[in-house]
């Protein structure tokens, strides 16, 4: 089936994109007929999924998140008109248990440590339905999760997880059992996951729909491949399901009194000695095996906390023996790799275009990593980034004559400008000369909108 063939049918009378899906918001779900149903019950969840308020909120969230389309080619902008026309029939299929999700679109993205991560991009319609499901399930399931898990949970951030880890280290737990699961999202066993979910949810129609989402195929190269395991990242439902599955190990660690932090499939257990850590590692292998999950032995280890990173941060002792957060070396390397790509010398882009992309990346990086307490590296990165921008400017001036004229025009003495222009092809060397700092000062890049990390 081609992408065009898979697309949802449209009619000539389809509303404009700006119109509200009146039918999606006006049709209320049927009343719950079970007189024993209670607030917080998990018996009639599908009725709540299709309620007008929940639908409105899900639609708004999907539109805010934007994102690319799935195998049917429908864009986020087309979702609202589509729902206005087709929601009554979709709603009915959801309530009767006959709705069938479409396959996800395979999309590979590079991993910071090398290799690729597979994403499964649902159609926009399925993303909307998944979001509506999550909004009903999350308030019921989240309060049952361990206090030690932080990923994909309301009012919890990666910074909270790092702070919790830091407190354990401050308590003298200077060894860490650093666990990495082998392709976790690709290896989730459907039967195991559904068994754990069935212990928490009574609504059979909800369970059937979630299994259909798990078993929806993956389209790669125009062919739909059946999927018998995994819950691909890319849809709103996968993170919640991951927490349902991994909560079992969290609860066992709690029962044994361990100090630990988990963020998605990234778990660290903090102990006082290597021997204690090795015992925990053996136990965790057995716990994950019960869930049909495998520990990645090449990336998992027992080590001093100072040698490991967690969510982009690592820890170090200052002169007063206080534990401080710092940006992990691996995160610095990843950042530099990204900046090199954005400021490539042979990109052929204008300085304005380069700065626009660089600014967007650096602003996000700064927001996340300003949580570090050791920030000396930020000034070094600022100087390195601006030196790369000076190289770009010199390359764009190209010839020695142009470089000479520009430098003189920016107040550089003619003999110095002549010397620099004569070496105009030695870009990195030239940018270390004081005259270039005068001609292309930091304030120039400030005016272009390049953020300073150290401020």
């Amino acid at each position: 089936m081609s992408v065009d063939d898979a697309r949802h049918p449209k009619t000539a009378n389809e509303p404009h994109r700006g119109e509200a899906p009146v039918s999606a918001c006006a049709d209320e779900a049927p009343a719950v007929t079970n007189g024993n149903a209670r607030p917080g019950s998990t018996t009639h969840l599908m009725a709540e999924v299709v309620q007008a308020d929940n639908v409105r909120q899900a639609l708004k969230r999907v539109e805010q998140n934007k994102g690319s389309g799935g195998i049917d080619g429908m864009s986020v902008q087309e979702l609202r008109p589509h729902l206005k026309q087709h929601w009554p029939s979709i709603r009915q299929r959801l309530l009767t248990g006959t709705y069938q999700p479409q396959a996800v679109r395979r999309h590979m993205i590079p991993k910071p440590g090398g290799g690729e991560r597979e994403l499964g991009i649902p159609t926009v319609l399925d993303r909307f339905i998944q979001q509506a499901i999550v909004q009903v399930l999350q308030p019921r399931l989240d309060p049952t999760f361990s206090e030690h898990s932080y990923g994909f949970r309301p009012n919890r951030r990666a910074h909270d997880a790092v702070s919790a880890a830091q407190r354990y280290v401050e308590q003298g737990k200077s060894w860490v059992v650093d666990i990495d699961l082998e392709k976790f999202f690709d290896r989730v066993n459907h039967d195991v996951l559904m068994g754990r979910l069935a212990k928490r949810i009574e609504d059979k129609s909800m369970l059937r729909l979630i299994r259909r989402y798990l078993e929806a195929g993956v389209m790669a190269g125009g062919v739909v491949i059946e999927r018998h395991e995994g819950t691909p990242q890319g849809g709103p439902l996968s993170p919640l399901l991951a927490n349902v599955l991994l909560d079992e190990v969290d609860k066992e660690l709690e029962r044994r009194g361990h100090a630990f932090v988990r963020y998605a499939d990234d778990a660290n257990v903090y102990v006082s000695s290597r021997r204690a850590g090795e015992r925990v590692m053996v136990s965790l292998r057995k716990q994950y095996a019960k869930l049909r999950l495998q520990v990645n032995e090449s990336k998992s280890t027992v080590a001093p906390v100072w040698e490991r990173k967690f969510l982009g941060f690592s820890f170090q002792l200052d002169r007063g023996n206080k534990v401080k957060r710092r940006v992990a070396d691996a995160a610095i390397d990843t950042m530099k790799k990204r900046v090199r790509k954005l400021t490539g010398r042979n990109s052929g882009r204008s300085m304005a275009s380069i700065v626009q992309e660089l600014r967007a990346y650096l602003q996000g990086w700064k927001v996340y990593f300003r949580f570090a307490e050791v920030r000396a590296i930020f000034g070094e990165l600022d100087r390195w980034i601006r030196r790369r921008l000076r190289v770009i400017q010199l390359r764009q001036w190209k010839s020695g004559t142009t470089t000479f004229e520009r430098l003189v025009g920016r107040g550089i003495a003619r003999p110095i400008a002549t010397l620099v222009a004569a070496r105009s092809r030695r870009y990195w060397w030239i940018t270390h000369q004081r005259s270039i700092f005068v001609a292309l000062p930091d304030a120039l890049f400030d005016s272009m909108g390049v953020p300073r990390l150290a401020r």
Side-chain angles (χ1 to χ4, degrees):
M1 178 183 293
S2 69
V3 170
D4 290 336
D5 291 335
R7 193 176 180 122
H8 289 282
K10 305 275 176 119
T11 68
N13 297 321
E14 183 177 44
H16 294 292
R17 293 178 178 179
E19 295 180 5
V22 178
S23 60
C25 299
D27 289 331
E28 294 289 348
V32 173
T33 58
N34 185 345
N36 296 323
R38 61 193 184 282
S41 169
T42 60
T43 306
H44 299 277
L45 298 178
M46 286 306 303
E48 293 186 37
V49 168
V50 299
Q51 282 180 349
D53 287 344
N54 192 57
V55 167
R56 288 192 194 97
Q57 185 180 346
L59 176 59
K60 182 178 179 180
R61 185 66 176 269
V62 170
E63 289 177 331
Q64 288 175 338
N65 290 341
K66 300 179 182 179
S68 58
I71 65 170
D72 62 353
M74 181 188 291
S75 67
V76 172
Q77 292 79 11
E78 293 173 294
L79 177 59
R80 186 176 289 262
H82 181 80
L83 288 175
K84 183 174 179 64
Q85 181 175 353
H86 298 288
W87 174 246
S89 63
I90 296 170
R91 177 177 175 274
Q92 184 64 22
R93 280 182 280 152
L94 288 170
L95 289 172
T96 57
T98 58
Y99 181 81
Q100 182 62 51
Q102 295 194 69
V104 299
R105 176 172 62 84
R106 176 178 288 172
H107 178 64
M108 307 301 292
I109 60 172
K111 297 173 67 174
E116 291 184 314
R117 174 180 289 112
E118 178 180 336
L119 296 184
I121 309 299
T123 64
V124 175
L125 175 60
D126 281 324
R127 213 146 70 224
F128 159 74
I129 294 173
Q130 286 190 30
Q131 179 61 38
I133 292 172
V134 168
Q135 290 168 184
V136 170
L137 293 184
Q138 186 97 48
R140 288 171 166 82
L141 299 181
D142 191 78
T144 71
F145 294 152
S146 168
E147 285 297 308
H148 299 271
S149 74
Y150 293 85
F152 311 122
R153 298 185 63 186
N155 303 316
R156 286 173 170 250
R157 307 174 304 157
H159 290 170
D160 298 325
V162 174
S163 292
Q166 183 178 12
R167 288 193 295 272
Y168 293 137
V169 178
E170 290 170 343
Q171 294 168 8
K173 299 182 184 301
S174 58
W175 287 82
V176 61
V177 184
D178 191 346
I179 293 290
D180 183 90
L181 294 177
E182 185 80 38
K183 296 184 177 179
F184 169 72
F185 284 95
D186 298 333
R187 299 279 177 83
V188 170
N189 182 279
H190 292 173
D191 291 334
V192 173
L193 172 57
M194 292 306 302
R196 270 54 177 184
L197 197 59
K199 294 178 181 179
R200 299 170 183 258
I201 295 176
E202 302 169 70
D203 189 330
K204 302 300 183 183
S205 61
M206 172 69 79
L207 292 171
R208 283 194 298 270
L209 180 58
I210 290 176
R211 181 174 278 276
R212 286 176 184 169
Y213 270 116
L214 290 173
E215 294 177 347
V218 178
M219 178 171 280
V223 178
V224 175
I225 304 170
E226 291 185 359
R227 188 171 70 222
H228 302 288
E229 63 178 3
T231 171
Q233 300 176 77
L237 195 53
S238 290
L240 180 60
L241 297 179
N243 277 332
V244 168
L245 184 62
L246 294 175
D247 187 62
E248 182 170 312
V249 178
D250 295 344
K251 294 295 173 53
E252 180 61 22
L253 287 170
E254 282 183 352
R255 189 184 69 80
R256 299 187 181 194
H258 288 300
F260 72 98
V261 182
R262 181 175 65 79
Y263 192 94
D265 58 330
D266 194 350
N268 280 3
V269 184
Y270 296 88
V271 295
S272 300
S273 67
R274 177 183 290 276
R275 180 175 296 180
E278 289 172 347
R279 287 196 300 266
V280 171
M281 179 68 83
V282 171
S283 175
L284 283 173
R285 288 193 186 98
K286 295 177 181 178
Q287 290 299 316
Y288 287 122
K290 292 179 182 178
L291 300 178
R292 309 280 185 86
L293 298 172
Q294 185 175 346
V295 172
N296 186 331
E297 299 295 345
S298 65
K299 295 183 179 180
S300 301
T301 189
V302 178
V305 293
W306 326 110
E307 298 177 4
R308 305 298 292 178
K309 63 181 178 65
F310 182 55
L311 301 178
F313 294 91
S314 59
F315 302 113
Q316 73 175 53
L317 285 175
D318 67 8
R319 292 181 179 178
N321 282 331
K322 287 194 66 176
V323 178
K324 297 289 188 179
R325 300 182 298 269
R326 62 182 292 271
V327 184
D329 292 341
I332 296 294
D333 292 342
T334 299
M335 183 263 207
K336 284 189 169 184
K337 183 177 180 180
R338 178 64 173 162
V339 170
R340 287 189 184 99
K341 184 175 181 180
L342 293 174
T343 58
R345 300 184 184 184
N346 299 314
S347 64
R349 294 172 296 151
S350 67
M351 179 66 83
S353 175
I354 292 171
V355 167
Q356 182 179 8
E357 290 186 41
L358 184 64
R359 179 171 62 245
Y361 174 71
L362 292 180
Q363 284 174 337
W365 194 93
K366 181 178 179 179
V367 166
Y368 184 75
F369 284 106
R370 67 185 176 189
F371 190 59
E373 296 169 301
V374 180
R375 303 178 64 178
I377 188 65
F378 286 22
E380 296 177 23
L381 290 172
D382 280 336
R383 291 187 288 274
W384 176 75
I385 290 167
R386 279 149 184 77
R387 191 172 180 185
R388 291 192 64 84
L389 292 174
R390 291 184 178 101
V391 168
I392 291 172
Q393 186 61 82
L394 289 173
R395 288 185 66 88
Q396 291 183 350
W397 286 348
K398 294 181 180 179
S399 70
T401 301
T402 302
T403 300
F404 171 80
E405 293 172 349
R406 294 295 180 97
L407 291 175
V408 171
R410 291 171 181 265
I412 304 302
R414 296 177 72 89
I416 297 176
T418 300
L419 178 63
V420 171
R423 294 176 170 84
S424 62
R425 296 291 178 181
R426 297 175 61 184
Y427 297 111
W428 192 251
W429 177 84
I430 289 175
T431 57
H432 195 58
Q433 308 308 303
R434 187 175 183 279
S435 57
I436 299 300
F437 282 85
V438 174
L440 300 172
D442 287 347
L444 172 65
F445 302 110
D446 292 343
S447 67
M448 292 180 180
V450 181
R452 293 205 192 196
L453 304 177
R455 287 185 178 177

